[in-house]
Amino acid sequence: VEESYEAALASGEWSCEFRIQRADGDQRWLAADGAISHDDGTPRRAVGIVRDVTDRRRLDRDFRTEREHLRVALENSPLTAFRLDTDLRYTWIGGAHDDFDSDWVIGKRYDEVLPPEPAEQIMGPKRRALEADEAVREVVTYELPSWSVTYDLTVEPFREDGEVIGLTCAT
């Protein structure tokens, strides 16, 4: 704490989060930010704000917990989940099988990574989900030069502030 105080005096600013316990036993998290004004190198006044950030910290913790649950589920099942933008470009992939290079396909469309006919087969349900603005579930089978691929594909519009900004998919 003394180091933080000294650093605030030297820089003229501070920012910290800390936990308090109220008289009723309730614990809250507070964030404090402020500035120190100096007169001839001597600190004269501190001005700042303190905000209750308990709800934000709970949401952060819940989000981390949900991400961990998703990670464990994807790593221990044959499920692959992914997100596409409205141009059907990969924006995120989780649980991809070992011989699939997730990093390589981010930003790409199916017609950039598959031959034309299989690309059209796999993009069809995604286009329908975007056009109809509703979920689509379909079993898709396509042929590659060396083998046949079958996916049980679920596609749903992904919204932000009510606007469709892409698709959330699972296979």
Side-chain angles (χ1 to χ4, degrees):
V1 173
E2 188 172 320
E3 291 169 2
S4 298
Y5 175 74
E6 293 298 326
L9 282 176
S11 71
E13 297 179 352
W14 78 85
S15 180
C16 63
E17 288 190 9
F18 53 94
R19 189 173 55 186
I20 63 165
Q21 184 168 334
R22 297 186 336 188
D24 65 2
D26 186 31
Q27 292 188 357
R28 308 298 292 177
W29 279 93
L30 303 178
D33 298 284
I36 300 170
S37 61
H38 293 82
D39 186 17
D40 294 329
T42 303
R44 294 290 180 199
R45 180 178 12 183
V47 177
I49 61 170
V50 177
R51 300 176 315 283
D52 185 328
V53 294
T54 305
D55 290 340
R56 187 206 71 206
R57 288 185 66 107
R58 275 191 198 123
L59 286 172
D60 288 348
R61 184 193 64 225
D62 291 349
F63 178 70
R64 284 190 310 275
T65 299
E66 291 299 317
R67 280 186 63 101
E68 182 62 12
H69 289 164
L70 176 62
R71 183 192 64 75
V72 169
L74 290 175
E75 286 180 1
N76 294 287
S77 74
L79 178 73
T80 298
F82 53 99
R83 221 174 295 127
L84 305 171
D85 64 18
T86 56
D87 292 326
L88 303 182
R89 294 186 184 285
Y90 280 100
T91 60
W92 174 82
I93 303 170
H97 48 81
D98 293 338
D99 61 345
F100 186 86
D101 185 354
S102 300
D103 294 333
W104 182 75
V105 298
I106 296 295
K108 292 186 172 88
R109 294 168 36 112
Y110 290 95
D111 53 2
E112 296 171 328
V113 298
L114 290 173
E117 189 174 319
E120 283 306 311
Q121 287 177 275
I122 198 79
M123 289 170 71
K126 294 163 179 84
R127 285 191 183 115
R128 286 192 294 283
L130 280 174
E131 291 166 5
D133 191 15
E134 63 184 24
V136 171
R137 183 169 183 188
E138 188 173 313
V139 175
V140 178
T141 300
Y142 58 87
E143 299 296 324
L144 292 173
S146 301
W147 67 90
S148 176
V149 178
T150 300
Y151 290 111
D152 181 356
L153 177 65
T154 301
V155 182
E156 292 188 11
F158 180 64
R159 291 178 177 74
E160 188 173 279
D161 299 325
E163 179 184 346
V164 175
I165 63 167
L167 297 169
T168 298
C169 311
T171 186

